[in-house]
Amino acid sequence: MKYTRTFKTKNYNFKDIKTLLAKASPLRSADELAGIASVSEEERAVAQWVLADLPLTEFLEEPLIPPEDDEVSRLIFESHDQTAFAPISSLTVGGFREWLLNDATSDADIVGVRWGLTPEMTAAVSKIMRNQDLIAVAKRCAVITRFRNTIGLPGRISTRLQPNHPTDDPKGIAASVLDGLLYGNGDAVIGINPATDSPKNLANLLRLLDDIIGQHQIPTQSCVLAHVTTTLELMRSGAPVDLVFQSIAGTEAANKSFGINLALLAEAKATALALGRGTVGNNLMYFETGQGSALSANAHHGIDAQTCEARAYAVARAFSPLLVNTVVGFIGPEYLFDGKQIIRAGLEDHFCGKLLGLPMGCDVCYTNHAEADQNDMDNLMTLLAVAGCTFIMGIPGGDDIMLAYQTTSFHDALYLRRVLGLRPSPEFEDWLDRMGIFDGNNALSQSIEPPKLSGAIRQLMGN
């Protein structure tokens, strides 16, 4: 089917929905690299005009990748709930935008259509939204998950304490964990990106985190971000695995490049559930995503980067995860060129994920060769917190010395909680108060080193 519009006597023809979505997408270097971006702002505006008039039902009639060729497409269509879709089934993309922004539409109404939405619908409506629209709607989409604490409650923001070390040195990791806990970080997860992937090394890291959490009865969860096949091996050998991590993407081919498929993720989830390590819930999958991953694997099928990213959220929500994290600026300027593109992408990802019912966090980050700086990240971090972002990263100084990129620091969560009146997860906040790290009023106590915590972790460090 062709989608056409005449503007200033010029005819614009978009041969299919895939092309229309790509041309309507706000400018980003990934789509330029793929050769699918609009060639002018006029073409982009016309594409958005045409997209706004497109009925939502068209996305059900014209799949971007045929379901018989792609298991992500099959998942999208098989999980689509016609009953949930019914209240919005008569709307166009533009009408859906108005419905989402209308005060007469309740938060419960928005939650009610989650399983009636396809990722392509959410990507489409995001392309005709201003940043403030993305923030306003995402703020209304509370998503609550539980493992050893409760994440995503309104008025809360959590953090992943990320104590990475270039040699996986246990003393260095323990020092970073102590530093992060003393700043009130770690309620989403204490999660390590390992420098080496040997099962023995990973098991040692898991035991280190398990000892810290267990000895101090910290209401949080740990994760060593290994490939899911390695995590399966670790679980079967008796290692203390809390969360199962995996990077995912929005096409079968891209996931294949990661060495995964849906069946493998299902096996890992079932294995982890059998361990019974959660105390207040059983959400135990942790997924990371990022615009451009499918393109970098040459597995995007001509779909724009943002729509591919939204399709990854269909994979995530099939497994009821505890956490989903868009690592928004990590791949580099070839995919998101500068601070403006990174900010827009972060707001899009958070909006689409929350609209689909996911506990969305964001690694507010950039690589050193991108046209971005920490002020850009401050802006995005603040906008996301206003939008109800579930969690951000917490890293010593905001500088990951193992992965070599710039992200958010331990101090940043304190800033967000102070200026926006946000708090950690309730169980973790109670623990911070009991340990003397917080003063009972959502602020750091004047004690620099609560002795009950720092002394015991120093023992683990061997000092």
Side-chain angles (χ1 to χ4, degrees):
M1 181 182 295
K2 277 193 175 182
Y3 305 91
T4 64
R5 193 64 51 98
T6 300
F7 182 72
K8 293 182 179 178
T9 72
K10 183 175 180 180
N11 291 323
Y12 286 90
N13 296 300
F14 308 101
K15 66 178 182 178
D16 52 26
I17 292 181
K18 184 189 302 185
T19 302
L20 181 60
L21 288 170
K23 297 294 186 181
S25 195
L27 179 66
R28 65 209 55 206
S29 49
D31 297 337
E32 292 182 307
L33 180 63
I36 58 177
S38 285
V39 298
S40 67
E41 287 303 316
E42 181 175 293
E43 184 182 29
R44 180 170 293 107
V46 173
Q48 291 171 346
W49 182 14
V50 175
L51 183 62
D53 289 338
L54 187 71
L56 292 177
T57 52
E58 292 283 328
F59 294 99
L60 301 175
E61 297 167 5
E62 187 181 320
L64 302 190
I65 309 172
E68 59 269 23
D69 298 334
D70 181 89
E71 70 171 0
V72 176
S73 290
R74 287 198 298 277
L75 175 66
I76 290 168
F77 281 86
E78 289 171 0
S79 61
H80 183 257
D81 186 330
Q82 288 285 353
T83 302
F85 182 57
I88 56 171
S89 60
S90 63
L91 299 179
T92 63
V93 172
F96 183 42
R97 173 186 176 273
E98 295 304 313
W99 184 84
L100 289 168
L101 292 168
N102 194 328
D103 287 342
T105 303
S106 69
D107 295 0
D109 291 335
I110 296 175
V111 170
V113 302
R114 280 175 179 170
W115 286 95
L117 297 173
T118 68
E120 292 85 354
M121 293 176 192
T122 66
V125 74
S126 76
K127 295 177 192 298
I128 62 168
M129 284 182 148
R130 296 169 58 184
N131 286 0
Q132 71 171 249
D133 298 339
L134 300 174
I135 294 167
V137 175
K139 179 73 172 180
R140 306 181 67 184
C141 301
V143 180
I144 299 168
T145 57
R146 296 176 174 89
F147 187 73
R148 291 203 187 101
N149 56 13
T150 306
I151 297 172
L153 291 167
R156 309 271 176 173
I157 190 166
S158 297
T159 59
R160 170 187 162 190
L161 200 171
Q162 186 169 310
N164 295 347
H165 192 279
T167 63
D168 289 339
D169 177 58
K171 292 183 180 180
I173 289 170
S176 290
V177 171
L178 172 60
D179 192 18
L181 291 171
L182 292 179
Y183 282 103
N185 282 247
D187 51 336
V189 64
I190 304 175
I192 303 170
N193 296 94
T196 57
D197 61 356
S198 76
K200 180 180 179 181
N201 175 60
L202 301 181
N204 288 337
L205 296 178
L206 285 166
R207 283 191 287 269
L208 170 64
L209 296 182
D210 192 55
D211 285 346
I212 293 172
I213 290 171
Q215 285 189 28
H216 303 290
Q217 299 181 325
I218 307 173
T220 191
Q221 36 281 327
S222 69
C223 186
V224 173
L225 281 66
H227 191 272
V228 65
T229 53
T230 305
T231 303
L232 270 167
E233 180 182 345
L234 290 166
M235 287 190 286
R236 289 164 179 158
S237 67
V241 173
D242 289 342
L243 305 186
V244 174
F245 167 80
Q246 184 55 48
S247 294
I248 57 173
T251 71
E252 179 179 348
N255 284 326
K256 186 177 181 180
S257 76
F258 290 156
I260 64 166
N261 55 36
L262 300 180
L264 180 61
L265 295 177
E267 180 185 1
K269 179 183 176 181
T271 304
L273 283 171
L275 300 179
R277 293 178 61 82
T279 56
V280 299
N282 58 8
N283 302 113
L284 47 69
M285 303 296 282
Y286 174 18
F287 295 118
E288 287 193 345
T289 66
Q291 290 192 28
S293 59
L295 176 60
S296 67
N298 195 28
H300 62 296
H301 295 268
I303 303 170
D304 68 272
Q306 190 250 331
T307 303
C308 273
E309 171 73 3
R311 284 171 55 92
Y313 303 154
V315 175
R317 72 173 176 173
F319 297 96
S320 304
L322 181 75
L323 307 166
V324 178
N325 179 35
T326 170
V327 192
V328 67
F330 184 74
I331 302 181
E334 300 85 359
Y335 301 90
L336 293 168
F337 180 72
D338 57 15
K340 182 176 182 179
Q341 292 187 14
I342 293 171
I343 289 170
R344 175 69 191 189
L347 294 176
E348 289 169 347
D349 294 350
H350 179 255
F351 163 85
C352 289
K354 280 293 190 66
L355 199 54
L356 290 166
L358 289 174
M360 288 301 297
C362 184
D363 193 341
V364 180
C365 65
Y366 65 101
T367 57
N368 288 317
H369 60 311
E371 292 293 323
D373 60 27
Q374 207 63 44
N375 286 326
D376 295 312
M377 300 305 104
D378 284 350
N379 292 342
L380 176 55
M381 172 181 66
T382 305
L383 293 172
L384 284 168
V386 171
C389 187
T390 301
F391 69 104
I392 61 169
M393 305 299 107
I395 294 175
D399 182 7
D400 193 305
I401 57 175
M402 196 280 283
L403 292 174
Y405 77 116
Q406 308 303 310
T407 181
T408 45
S409 73
F410 296 145
H411 303 72
D412 289 329
L414 294 176
Y415 149 73
L416 292 175
R417 289 166 178 165
R418 183 182 304 118
V419 301
L420 296 175
L422 301 172
R423 303 164 74 176
S425 72
E427 299 91 343
F428 193 77
E429 183 180 19
D430 290 345
W431 179 83
L432 291 171
D433 291 339
R434 291 198 310 273
M435 296 298 292
I437 298 170
F438 274 18
D439 62 3
N441 294 302
N442 196 35
L444 288 179
S445 72
Q446 296 305 304
S447 174
I448 297 175
E449 286 194 1
K452 286 192 291 185
L453 179 67
S454 57
I457 291 184
R458 281 176 174 168
Q459 285 185 355
L460 289 170
M461 294 164 59
N463 293 330

